[in-house]
Amino acid sequence: MGIHSCDIPVQVDDTKVFRLNRYENVSSLDPAFARSKSNNWMANLMYTGLVNFDDSLHIIPEIAKKWDISEDGKIYTFTLRNDVYFHKHPAFGKDSTRTVVASDFEYSFQRLTNPKVGSSGGFVLNNVADYKALNDSVFQVELKSAFPPFLGLMAMKYCSVVPKELFENDGEAFKENPIGTGPFQFQLWENNVKLVLKKNPLFYKKDESSENLPYLDYVAVNFLPEKHSEFLQLVQGKIDMMASLDPSYKDELLTADGHLQEKYQEDLVMIKAPYLNTEYLCFYLDDNAEVPAELRKAMNMSIDKSKMIQFLRNNIGFPAHGGFIPKGLPGHQEDLGDGYNPIKAREIISKYKSENASLPKVKLVTTQEYADICEFVQSEMFKTGWPIEVNVVDPSTLRDGKASGKFPFFRANWGADYPDAENFLSLFYSQNFAPNGPNYSHFKSDEFDALYMKALQMNDEKARVEVYKQMDELIMNEMPVIPTFYDQSTTFLRKNVKGFKSTPIDMLDLTRVRKD
């Protein structure tokens, strides 16, 4: 797809232009297809929805200035702002724009479930029974059953608002010039070559000094597929940021303990932020009675997770000294369980061996990508007197095996579908047994299930987070899984970039970014 318009005017001050590269091409500028990171990032610059997240992933108002939730947790009534305008386009008539009204959300939601559209985001409405505009400023959503993380789903870019006018004639007008309400608007797109967005002069947000946002005039995106080329462009000052760390240049850019190499410190800055992904080792409990909870805990105590992160990942990531809820998500606790304690682990293992004649034979299944992590676990276990095997298989074999219960012990990870701890704790709810759900361990606890159902009835986020903490403590006490580390995003910026923030959902937000 090639869409042509004018590029950035030559007289524009370079400090008003933010330049970046995406080695993964943007496949669509329609928020209904905001599935990949590249699509999501561009959608976040161009569109807004009812609600959003703050830096700590708490829900905050966006186009909805407030909302009410019915006592049974099923009906959400959103009251909209009246100062949100669509980007300018001739389709809106003589004023070239208009304000967003509740029926625009009705239309935008219909697109998500319309088979002719084929959106990848229809799942966000799976639990929705009905939605309707009560008038221009009130939009109401009724759920089939209470689901407190629902507002988190509404903050996904799929749920952004788009105008009906541009979808007449098979949406050709929208394809040529996508229109939203975000801080930047469409300027130019040459598929696989470049994408240019320009400042939206109608954007409804101001800073604390009443200055209109965003500060930047343009965002220019290149699509160089070679990651090493992206790195060279950053070093040469041709782009302002790089949001990846590829093995091909990792050691060139970073020291062994994860700091910027001295030769780059004058020009670059690195921002690390929690990323909602928990890496873990999983016991399949149906066939794993021979590895009782005390031995699972001893294994957890045997692994020096800080050392693992330092030497195997250049300190990118956080050692999992807490529970299954990752760092950066409300409900995460810094310390849960016994922590690294090899002396106590050896005592437990030695005692078990003396009482049972032998230790269980354990084979840890992994893929080549994580073989070094699992071999590290193997060496740590050898020190405690409990030798284990490591079995490397291809990704599809592991994927099928963990779903079918073929592997008693394997390495896995879970990344957030939506930023609520329920998404992580659902892996231990007994109704979610794999292969029909994400409970790969087949962990079952009546106490945990009761807490899970209790949390689903609680609309008060703070109170719900306290229940999440209880559930995570219960998991770490039973140890169906051993969390190894929580992931981390790394962003490299030119030093003249100011106001850039990285969040646990790794979304690109340039609303308050400046360049000196």
Side-chain angles (χ1 to χ4, degrees):
M1 183 180 185
I3 301 176
H4 299 273
S5 180
C6 55
D7 209 334
I8 300 169
V10 290
Q11 71 272 21
V12 171
D13 180 354
D14 193 63
T15 62
K16 290 289 191 178
V17 183
F18 192 87
R19 303 179 191 275
L20 68 146
N21 182 67
R22 285 304 301 167
Y23 53 84
E24 175 194 56
N25 188 34
V26 171
S27 63
S28 175
L29 293 176
D30 185 338
F33 302 96
R35 186 172 187 175
S36 69
K37 182 183 282 191
S38 287
N39 289 14
N40 245 304
W41 276 18
M42 297 311 116
N44 200 47
L45 299 176
M46 294 176 65
Y47 303 96
T48 53
L50 292 166
V51 294
N52 209 339
F53 301 108
D54 66 12
D55 295 341
S56 302
L57 296 185
H58 296 114
I59 299 292
I60 55 171
E62 190 74 73
I63 297 177
K65 60 184 178 181
K66 65 175 184 176
W67 53 88
D68 296 301
I69 305 171
S70 62
E71 204 170 313
D72 64 3
K74 289 184 181 180
I75 298 176
Y76 288 69
T77 306
F78 300 93
T79 303
L80 309 187
R81 299 172 63 118
N82 61 5
D83 59 350
V84 180
Y85 290 84
F86 284 111
H87 302 153
K88 287 196 170 188
H89 192 280
F92 295 120
K94 65 181 177 70
D95 293 329
S96 298
T97 185
R98 65 170 176 80
T99 54
V100 172
V101 292
S103 59
D104 291 316
F105 279 100
E106 209 174 84
Y107 176 74
S108 301
F109 280 25
Q110 284 166 2
R111 292 189 72 237
L112 293 182
T113 53
N114 183 345
K116 289 183 180 177
V117 174
S119 168
S120 50
F123 73 92
V124 300
L125 301 178
N126 280 352
N127 188 37
V128 171
D130 191 25
Y131 51 85
K132 58 191 174 217
L134 300 187
N135 53 48
D136 280 355
S137 59
V138 181
F139 181 62
Q140 192 172 83
V141 181
E142 182 182 352
L143 304 187
K144 295 172 187 172
S145 57
F147 187 64
F150 175 69
L151 287 173
L153 289 173
M154 290 295 96
M156 296 179 78
K157 298 320 296 181
Y158 290 126
C159 299
S160 304
V161 69
V162 292
K164 185 175 185 177
E165 290 92 332
L166 272 82
F167 289 93
E168 292 161 4
N169 302 318
D170 294 326
E172 282 304 313
F174 190 84
K175 289 173 191 171
E176 288 293 321
N177 190 354
I179 293 293
T181 52
F184 297 94
Q185 63 189 55
F186 178 81
Q187 170 94 350
L188 169 147
W189 184 18
E190 289 181 42
N191 193 34
N192 278 322
V193 180
K194 69 163 76 168
L195 171 67
V196 178
L197 306 178
K198 62 183 178 180
K199 178 175 182 167
N200 171 19
L202 303 175
F203 192 53
Y204 49 97
K205 288 186 181 177
K206 299 179 187 292
D207 68 8
E208 294 70 21
S209 306
S210 296
E211 183 179 349
N212 288 337
L213 295 170
Y215 302 125
L216 297 163
D217 286 343
Y218 290 92
V219 178
V221 188
N222 289 328
F223 298 103
L224 289 172
E226 292 296 324
K227 295 182 183 181
H228 199 78
S229 301
E230 180 182 41
F231 167 61
L232 290 176
Q233 289 227 323
L234 178 74
V235 171
Q236 293 164 2
K238 294 178 180 176
I239 58 174
D240 297 303
M241 74 169 282
M242 181 178 74
S244 61
L245 187 62
D246 194 71
S248 65
Y249 53 75
K250 176 168 70 79
D251 294 328
E252 162 71 15
L253 191 55
L254 296 185
T255 62
D257 58 357
H259 293 98
L260 266 178
Q261 295 278 10
E262 190 174 348
K263 63 181 174 180
Y264 296 118
Q265 289 179 10
E266 190 178 330
D267 297 321
L268 304 179
V269 64
M270 176 174 64
I271 297 177
K272 293 181 180 181
Y275 183 50
L276 300 184
N277 180 52
T278 298
E279 302 278 336
Y280 65 101
L281 310 177
C282 183
F283 294 93
Y284 182 66
L285 300 182
D286 280 7
D287 294 337
N288 229 57
E290 73 274 15
V291 184
E294 72 262 29
L295 282 186
R296 301 197 294 265
K297 288 183 186 178
M299 186 178 287
N300 184 52
M301 284 182 247
S302 303
I303 304 167
D304 189 341
K305 298 170 186 176
S306 298
K307 191 175 174 184
M308 174 194 289
I309 292 296
Q310 182 181 350
F311 291 108
L312 298 182
R313 290 184 53 85
N314 290 60
N315 270 344
I316 304 299
F318 304 95
H321 298 312
F324 196 74
I325 300 172
K327 193 175 177 73
L329 197 58
H332 171 76
Q333 298 168 85
E334 285 295 316
D335 293 293
L336 269 185
D338 299 287
Y340 178 53
N341 192 338
I343 295 170
K344 187 176 177 184
R346 276 195 291 271
E347 288 173 359
I348 294 170
I349 290 166
S350 180
K351 181 172 182 285
Y352 181 91
K353 195 173 179 180
S354 67
E355 292 174 354
N356 296 274
S358 65
L359 289 160
K361 284 185 167 56
V362 173
K363 188 181 288 185
L364 175 53
V365 182
T366 184
T367 57
Q368 189 60 51
E369 185 181 356
Y370 294 93
D372 57 345
I373 296 280
C374 293
E375 284 162 4
F376 178 84
V377 171
Q378 182 185 38
S379 68
E380 295 287 84
M381 295 312 301
F382 185 78
K383 293 176 198 172
T384 65
W386 183 10
I388 68 169
E389 289 182 52
V390 173
N391 181 20
V392 177
V393 299
D394 65 79
S396 61
T397 301
L398 180 54
R399 189 166 53 248
D400 295 343
K402 72 178 188 180
S404 64
K406 178 183 176 183
F407 300 130
F409 189 42
F410 54 89
R411 181 244 143 232
N413 72 288
W414 187 261
D417 294 315
Y418 45 89
D420 189 281
E422 182 275 337
N423 190 215
F424 286 81
L425 296 169
S426 66
L427 270 72
F428 307 101
Y429 180 50
S430 67
Q431 299 301 307
N432 286 339
F433 274 16
N436 301 317
N439 186 342
Y440 299 111
S441 67
H442 280 206
F443 172 77
K444 189 178 191 316
S445 160
D446 292 342
E447 184 183 356
F448 183 92
D449 286 356
L451 288 169
Y452 183 82
M453 294 310 296
K454 179 182 178 182
L456 289 186
Q457 304 304 317
M458 302 174 75
N459 288 316
D460 184 302
E461 186 186 10
K462 286 183 179 176
R464 193 167 76 250
V465 164
E466 291 307 309
V467 176
Y468 288 160
K469 288 179 180 178
Q470 289 179 53
M471 294 161 73
D472 214 10
E473 287 167 15
L474 202 153
I475 290 302
M476 292 306 289
N477 193 47
E478 295 290 330
M479 218 95 215
V481 297
I482 297 174
T484 50
F485 65 91
Y486 313 116
D487 222 339
Q488 193 174 37
S489 64
T490 50
T491 306
F492 300 91
L493 299 162
R494 299 292 300 180
K495 265 215 166 142
N496 66 329
V497 175
K498 309 296 178 189
F500 185 95
K501 288 188 176 179
S502 197
T503 67
I505 51 173
D506 197 20
M507 189 70 80
L508 182 65
D509 183 357
L510 300 176
T511 311
R512 291 173 174 265
V513 167
R514 298 181 188 267
K515 284 170 66 179
D516 290 344

